[in-house]
Amino acid sequence: MKTNPERMCVICREKKDKADLFRIVEKDEEGKFTLDEKQTIQKRGQYVCKTHECINRLSKHKKIKVEIEDLLKMLNLLKKDSKDYLKILRAMKNSQELVFGINMIFDEIEKVHFIIIAEDISERNDKRITAKAKEKNIPYVHYGKKNELGDIFNKEEINVIAVKNKKVARGLIE
Ligand SMILES: [Zn+2]
């Protein structure tokens, strides 16, 4: 019987078939890692489960630092039917790429590339944000409830979250 090579997830330590794991390889000496999508890069690598949980934990890892674009790519590869922005945002929350709250977003509007607006936002606030987004040509979606967006940052409610990184924004829009 032919068995597929197994590798261990660096996060949960479970052994799995290589196909069920992402491979990340060391980019430089500073512990920065990048995704090796085809698992062919001839560099020292680590493996991570293709699950939201392990990628989430990887995003907070002290020693293994994966670029936010790569984390996002992994999450996008996981998604099956519809895009789950909440899970993606949760995995990104420790990066400096997100800003939330209407005033904060308006302050940093020149750096914003994508906006996620709560579905249950008040009509007045919705108009304020969408008008600004249209004026600045920033793509946006209505997604999740205020308490769900708030939950990401351990707040009661958040009306709106914006993404400041262009590549990340593109990954979310695609
Ligand atoms: Zn794992």
Side-chain angles (χ1 to χ4, degrees):
M1 195 176 82
K2 193 178 166 258
T3 51
N4 287 322
E6 285 199 327
R7 293 289 183 276
M8 189 178 71
C9 170
V10 68
I11 303 295
C12 70
R13 305 271 155 196
E14 222 181 286
K15 277 192 178 166
K16 289 187 177 177
D17 190 305
K18 273 173 83 175
D20 296 322
L21 299 159
F22 285 120
R23 183 167 188 260
I24 51 173
V25 292
E26 231 167 328
K27 227 171 114 180
D28 54 34
E29 252 81 284
E30 287 153 52
K32 280 191 186 145
F33 282 75
T34 184
L35 176 64
D36 173 15
E37 213 178 319
K38 292 184 180 133
Q39 308 203 349
T40 53
I41 298 174
Q42 302 279 333
K43 268 190 184 174
R44 232 161 64 90
Q46 298 281 7
Y47 291 84
V48 184
C49 294
K50 289 184 176 175
T51 62
H52 280 106
E53 208 204 326
C54 284
I55 295 170
N56 227 332
R57 285 170 60 192
L58 177 68
S59 75
K60 297 171 211 152
H61 204 284
K62 296 272 186 295
K63 294 204 180 95
I64 301 172
K65 305 223 177 294
V66 183
E67 299 283 345
I68 190 77
E69 291 84 8
D70 286 348
L71 288 169
L72 186 74
K73 203 183 219 175
M74 292 184 213
L75 291 165
N76 272 325
L77 288 167
L78 290 186
K79 72 166 187 334
K80 295 198 175 68
D81 322 305
S82 66
K83 196 161 300 205
D84 192 335
Y85 290 109
L86 296 179
K87 280 186 182 146
I88 293 174
L89 292 171
R90 189 162 283 128
M92 285 173 56
K93 74 169 178 181
N94 296 306
S95 73
Q96 306 299 310
E97 319 289 2
L98 300 181
V99 55
F100 60 83
I102 299 171
N103 294 333
M104 285 289 284
I105 288 170
F106 279 16
D107 281 350
E108 301 206 46
I109 197 76
E110 301 301 335
K111 296 180 201 151
V112 168
H113 296 283
F114 188 56
I115 301 174
I116 296 107
I117 305 167
E119 287 161 353
D120 54 349
I121 194 170
S122 72
E123 214 182 307
R124 190 180 136 260
N125 282 333
D126 190 46
K127 274 189 189 144
R128 278 178 72 199
I129 294 162
T130 53
K132 180 66 91 180
K134 281 172 194 156
E135 178 200 322
K136 298 285 178 186
N137 233 332
I138 302 166
Y140 62 88
V141 288
H142 289 88
Y143 193 90
K145 304 274 185 265
K146 284 191 281 191
N147 64 321
E148 290 176 313
L149 296 188
D151 201 42
I152 295 169
F153 294 96
N154 302 316
K155 306 266 180 207
E156 197 114 332
E157 290 185 337
I158 287 178
N159 283 305
V160 55
I161 298 175
V163 179
K164 293 197 286 181
N165 180 299
K166 206 172 194 171
K167 283 186 206 158
V168 170
R170 211 180 298 133
L172 284 166
I173 297 159
E174 266 164 16

